[in-house]
Every structure is written in C-alpha cells, then in structure tokens.
Amino acid sequence: MVDQLNRLGIGRGDKVAVVLPQGPELAVAFLGVACGATAAPLNPAYLEKEFAFYLGDLEARALIVMAGDATPARAAAASLGVPLIELIVSSDGGLDLSGATQVFVSQLGMAMADEVALVLHTSGTTSRPKMVPLTHGNLCTSACNIARNLDLSERDTCLNVMPLFHIHGLVACVLAPLAAGGGTFCTRAFDAGQFPGWLEAWKPTWYSAVPTMHQAILAHLQEQSRTCAGSTLRFIRSSSAALPPSVMEDLEKTFRVPVIESYGMTEAAHQIASNPLPPRVRKPGSVGLPAGPGVAILDEAGGFVHAGAAGEIAIRGANVTLGYHGNSEANAQAFHRGWLRTGDQGYLDPDGYLFISGRLKEQINRGGEKLSPREIDEVLLTHPMVRQAVAFAVPHPSLGEDLAAAVVLHAGMDCTEVELRGFALDRLPAFKTPSRIVIVTDIPRGPTGKIQRIGLAGKLKGFLQIDYEAPATPMEKRVVDVFSEVLGCPMVGRHDNFFMLGGDSLRAMQALARLSQSLSMELAALLIFRWPTPSSLASELERIQSEMEVDALAKILEGLSPEERAKLLD
Ligand code: AMP
C-alpha cells in the first residue's frame, strides 16, 4: 500500500483521511496508510459538514473511501478540493488504491519511529476538537504494553467489535494482537445478536469492548436463555467508560472467565492503567494498576498530592502524545512539567490501584462515545427561538451518562421539545443529539454566576422528571408495550422518554424492529431518536400508516378503468 500511495503522490507526513465501513479492509487500510503516511480514520456516521470540518482541520492531502460507497465525505472532499482515492477490494481480498496522481512533495518509503502514524480528534471542552498526533513509537509502545498486560501470544485471537476510528479499537483490538504475533477478527459492526455465533465460528481467545456493548451482550444472552460458559475466551477486557461492578460480576458468571477493566485515553495511545490477569488481584470499581505510563495524582497547583488523596490524574511515558497539533493554548493547559493532565479525577489506593472518582473536564461520556457539550450548545443556539442553551450529562443505567440540554427561549417565543430535538437531529448525528431538551425560563448558576454544567442534572431534576400518564390510544398502548419489553421496565407512561428510561441506540433498533414487525411497516432507523415518547411516536406511526393507506388506495385506483373507478368511489 505504501508503494501505491507513493505512486499517487502521497508520502510520509501527509495526512490521509480514511472513511471506510467497519471491517478488515479498514484495519488493513489503517496499517497500510500509517506505514507510509499519517492515517486519520473518521467516523463514517458524520454528516457532510462534519466531514468538511475534519478534512479542513487535518489539511488532508487525500481522502480514502470504499469504491461505490456513497458517503457524504465525498461531497465534503469535493467542496474543499481534497483529492479522492477509492479503495478497491479484489475478489481474492486484495486491496488496491485508485485515484488521480498528485504532485509529489513528500518523502517516499516507510515511516520512521518518531513520525506521526495516526491522528485522531478528541472532543475538546471548547467547540473546536483537539487533534492528537500519535507517532509510531507511541502506538508500538502502547500495543506492547497491552499485549504484555494481557499476556497475549501468537496463540491468541481477538474478536474486534470496537469501531476502528477510535483509539480503543485501533490499538487494543488491532495493534496489540498483532504485536504479540496473534490475530484479530474484525466484525462489520457490533451486533449482540451475532455475538454467540462469532464465538463459535471464530473461536477468539478474548475481546475488548465498552461497558454498553458488554451489557447488550448480556441482555441478548439472557433473552435467549443462553450461556457462553464453554467458549474459547480466556478473558474479557473492558475500557473507555466505567464498568459497573454488577456488570463485571454478571460477565464473569456468564462466561466463567476473568474480566479485566482498563483505563484508556486517546492522548495515551489508549492504555493508561489496567487490572492484571489472575492470579493477581482484579478490583471491581478500580481501573487497575498503571500499565505502561507513569501515573501521578496532582493538586490544582500541579504538585503531587499526599498518598491516597484525590486529585487530577496525570500521565507521562513513551506512549503519551508529545502535544496537541497546532494548539499551544491546549498544550499549555494540559502539560505540566512533562506530565499530561488527563482531566480525570482519581486516587491511588494503598496497593497502587487507581480509582477514577470524577471528571474535571466538561466532556460527556455517553457509553464510551465522548461528546463536547459546547458543540451541542452551539447547534441549539442557531435555532431562531433559542436565546440560551446548555448541554449537560444525566445519569443513565447502561450508558453511564446520557446527554440532555436546557434551553431558554427568546421572550414571546413558543416551541416544543419535539421541535427542538428534530432541529438538533437535522444538524447533528444521532449520538450527539440530546435525549431530553427541557425548556426553562432560567438556567441555574453557580456561586460565581457562571453556568456550571456539572451538577445541572440535579438542579433541573424537576424539569427532567415526567409524571406517569397511561397510554391514551391503541397505538400508544402498542408502543408502550414494546418500550417496556425492550427496556425491561414495567411502567412506561405515554410521555416517558425512551432514552431516559434506560434506552440506548442498540435498544432503539430492537424496539423499532419489533414495531416494524407488528405493524408490517418499514420504519426509518432514526424514528425513535426523533420521536422518543410513546405519545409522539404513536402519532408519527399513525401518520405514516394513513399515508401508506392513501398510497395503497391510489395504486388500486390507478389499475382500474374509469368506469370501475367511478363505481368504487360512489
Ligand atoms: P477516549 O480518548 O475516547 O479514549 O476517552 C478517554 C476518557 O474516557 C478518559 O479520559 C476517561 O474520562 C474515560 N475512561 C476511559 N476508560 C475508563 C474507565 N475504565 N473508567 C472510567 N472512565 C474511563
């Protein structure tokens, strides 16, 4: 692939955006591009304007897409004049790159250890995401740290269910198994329903995932009354968000293998700390022992706290980025005497195990998906009726945190929550759209008069709370029944919000599949995101149903002679 890139005029130091569907081709394209240029994999779910932002911010020299894939990234690249390269998969699985040759300005051949292999964006606390460059040295150090910690060897195969535009997937699920000489089976998309089949077919020895995926797997197995006690798994790894101890216990009971919780971060090329494998001790609720970089706990002034005290977690080591790209302000804030401040709060117990106790940064962690609340504020503020908007985290049983927003309207304006959610959903991908948008007359402030996002969920509890009201129509009853089955929640009211009751995108797909089957209707994937309450969803379903009836009648009339038509309409 390096030769092919060089022939197209791309070389070392050139940032190449990669927008490919999940799967082995993306894993190979990442490895190939990183060997001879800098890979920048982007979330294929982004909208065109997001692609335009990332391509522009990266100053991408090229964009790689799958031949035939109609991704909106193509239009974004065309508008910026970023050359397009298509990835062609031949019948024997070989990969070829096809595109117009550019004027070559870079160095040919394989990259060196100190050159940047990968660039990922973090959702910063400001609206502009920060660009994290990671060198080959950073990535290889991290991959070897993970392989050592998990005692990986050439006999191990990972089952990769993590997206390969996220550091967790790229380093823990692709580079670490390869660093140990083992293999990785890259799935097309995470699907709890297919998980038991993958275990049987591919006989992996481990997998790594975020807690919501583990929960979805457990829920599926429970629903099917299946156990996976005799699988080939040697252990299960969890990272990127806090793993509730009860989920850890259920996983260990179901699979009869140890569950290893680790702490990772893009800036650390993923792994910072990890629980060890048995016979060493795993501590539920802890992210384990430092597993690669040095870990320190700092006070506000940047000094070390006394043993056992809580403070900001700071890291340093060969896996840690040298600094954000082109962002001296962020670097000045984040780096302190060679230590990178993570923005996470925590403490080390007497055995040296790290516990994460909170977060200083504003970032919201929606089931491992990191969101910048200011980006959401800015979108809501473009609504002509909105005067003030503040996005904030609310506790969620399976995601850990979900996203809500409080909005103050301009005087004399009137607007509903459903309208505002629809507006946000038209401008943001579903995973960045708030599950609840409460309309208030004033947003509570902290003692200094500043709006404090952290703690807003508690202060706005009264607005977030929904009083129970029984379903009022047969369609509402049908939706309520499906919500309560999928969410395992006996009392669902007509104004309850699917996401606030514990729903997430995986469960939304399940609910949609059930509704679609029982109504014999094809339903759009985002329907529950747009209409998350039984009352709003039921009215939308009734509208679709009557539209279908009108269409069906028009088709029947079309096929009739004028006399038959007149007779029927009489
Ligand atoms: P990312 O850069 O997307 O990998 O996100 C890094 C952030 O995820 C960290 O700074 C933490 O806030 C959070 N995180 C990662 N692993 C864990 C964990 N095991 N428990 C709690 N939070 C975690």
Side-chain angles (χ1 to χ4, degrees):
M1 194 170 279
V2 174
D3 279 350
Q4 293 191 29
L5 283 170
N6 288 169
R7 270 200 293 276
L8 292 170
I10 308 290
R12 282 152 54 192
D14 289 335
K15 295 188 205 88
V16 179
V18 182
V19 178
L20 293 172
Q22 270 296 97
E25 300 82 9
L26 174 51
V28 174
F30 155 62
L31 293 170
V33 174
C35 284
T38 298
L42 299 177
N43 184 347
Y46 284 144
L47 309 177
E48 184 184 328
K49 69 172 193 321
E50 290 174 293
F51 282 125
F53 166 80
Y54 288 110
L55 291 173
D57 201 45
L58 286 166
E59 296 175 350
R61 279 268 290 154
L63 162 70
I64 299 184
V65 298
M66 189 66 90
D69 179 6
T71 162
R74 285 176 186 262
S79 69
L80 292 167
V82 175
L84 195 75
I85 299 178
E86 291 199 322
L87 184 80
I88 300 164
V89 185
S90 59
S91 53
D92 63 355
L95 299 182
D96 279 307
L97 297 178
S98 154
T101 304
Q102 302 179 55
V103 181
F104 197 88
V105 289
S106 317
Q107 280 182 287
L108 288 171
M110 301 292 277
M112 311 295 278
D114 60 351
E115 289 176 343
V116 177
L118 173 69
V119 168
L120 290 173
H121 278 84
T122 68
S123 57
T125 50
T126 59
S127 57
R128 200 173 180 83
K130 291 180 278 184
M131 215 194 291
V132 184
L134 294 164
T135 62
H136 286 268
N138 294 148
L139 293 177
C140 293
T141 305
S142 187
C144 291
N145 288 342
I146 297 169
R148 196 176 321 111
N149 187 65
L150 300 174
D151 201 12
L152 297 180
S153 76
E154 67 284 354
R155 290 183 302 281
D156 285 303
T157 306
C158 172
L159 174 63
N160 175 39
V161 289
M162 285 299 296
L164 293 179
F165 49 81
H166 188 260
I167 196 71
H168 181 160
L170 292 168
V171 180
C173 308
V174 175
L175 294 182
L178 298 185
T184 184
F185 172 78
C186 294
T187 60
R188 292 275 166 215
F190 172 69
D191 179 354
Q194 288 198 50
F195 189 83
W198 289 332
L199 290 187
E200 274 161 35
W202 304 104
K203 310 209 177 324
T205 55
W206 64 289
Y207 79 94
S208 185
V210 292
T212 42
M213 291 179 173
H214 296 304
Q215 282 166 305
I217 293 167
L218 285 173
H220 173 76
L221 293 174
Q222 208 173 22
E223 209 171 279
Q224 305 281 310
S225 312
R226 287 181 74 152
T227 78
C228 279
S231 80
T232 46
L233 293 177
R234 183 160 72 77
F235 63 88
I236 293 171
R237 181 176 184 273
S238 184
S239 189
S240 301
L243 180 70
S246 62
V247 177
M248 179 174 175
E249 197 185 316
D250 287 351
L251 277 173
E252 293 204 342
K253 265 196 207 136
T254 306
F255 289 92
R256 308 252 170 86
V257 293
V259 173
I260 304 298
E261 179 170 8
S262 309
Y263 167 41
M265 188 184 191
T266 306
E267 289 86 332
H270 192 45
Q271 188 165 280
I272 295 171
S274 182
N275 278 282
L277 283 166
R280 294 172 72 199
V281 176
R282 307 184 293 293
K283 292 197 182 181
S286 161
V287 294
L289 298 160
V295 172
I297 309 292
L298 304 184
D299 60 23
E300 265 181 50
F304 297 118
V305 299
H306 57 83
E312 183 169 8
I313 302 170
I315 54 172
R316 69 172 178 198
N319 58 319
V320 180
T321 183
L322 289 177
Y324 299 107
H325 181 82
N327 196 337
S328 47
E329 196 188 325
N331 286 330
Q333 274 173 15
F335 287 91
H336 183 76
R337 286 186 289 153
W339 291 92
L340 171 70
R341 311 179 80 129
T342 61
D344 293 315
Q345 257 174 337
Y347 64 92
L348 290 160
D349 78 0
D351 301 324
Y353 282 70
L354 183 63
F355 285 77
I356 298 180
S357 50
R359 204 173 320 130
L360 296 161
K361 54 192 174 192
E362 281 186 337
Q363 193 185 60
I364 295 173
N365 192 346
R366 193 183 210 179
E369 201 88 67
K370 312 300 180 316
L371 308 174
S372 157
R374 291 201 197 182
E375 183 186 350
I376 291 108
D377 298 354
E378 278 170 19
V379 167
L380 290 171
L381 283 168
T382 61
H383 191 288
M385 295 191 193
V386 172
R387 182 163 67 84
Q388 252 188 330
V390 182
F392 57 95
V394 287
H396 186 280
S398 66
L399 296 169
E401 283 180 338
D402 197 4
L403 180 67
V407 151
V408 179
L409 300 179
H410 286 292
M413 295 291 180
D414 196 17
C415 185
T416 65
E417 176 172 2
V418 170
E419 280 162 8
L420 287 171
R421 288 193 77 259
F423 177 86
L425 201 54
D426 289 338
R427 288 157 183 81
L428 290 164
F431 70 91
K432 289 188 189 172
T433 303
S435 295
R436 288 289 319 272
I437 301 179
V438 290
I439 300 171
V440 293
T441 48
D442 191 27
I443 296 176
R445 279 150 210 279
T448 59
K450 277 209 297 195
I451 286 171
Q452 289 175 324
R453 281 180 214 275
I454 295 163
L456 212 50
K459 292 184 190 138
L460 292 174
K461 208 168 166 190
F463 291 94
L464 291 164
Q465 209 167 331
I466 294 164
D467 291 334
Y468 175 81
E469 239 183 74
T473 65
M475 187 65 98
E476 285 187 8
K477 170 84 175 75
R478 200 189 280 244
V479 176
V480 159
D481 289 346
V482 169
F483 279 16
S484 90
E485 257 171 53
V486 168
L487 299 172
C489 187
M491 281 280 277
V492 175
R494 61 192 293 263
H495 296 305
D496 278 330
N497 180 298
F498 181 80
F499 299 99
M500 293 288 134
L501 288 176
D504 48 40
S505 55
L506 291 167
R507 289 191 174 93
M509 299 305 280
Q510 278 172 6
L512 212 58
R514 287 186 196 191
L515 283 169
S516 161
Q517 202 181 21
S518 84
L519 296 166
S520 308
M521 281 158 71
E522 260 200 47
L523 300 174
L526 290 183
L527 213 63
I528 297 184
F529 285 91
R530 206 172 279 274
W531 315 103
T533 62
S535 72
S536 63
L537 184 59
S539 343
E540 180 59 11
L541 290 172
E542 276 160 359
R543 193 194 61 76
I544 302 173
Q545 218 170 29
S546 67
E547 212 170 71
M548 280 168 59
E549 279 163 15
V550 171
D551 281 354
L553 186 64
K555 275 216 183 88
I556 295 172
L557 292 176
E558 246 173 50
L560 299 178
S561 66
E563 299 75 45
E564 286 170 324
R565 218 176 294 162
K567 221 163 143 188
L568 192 78
L569 292 176
D570 254 357

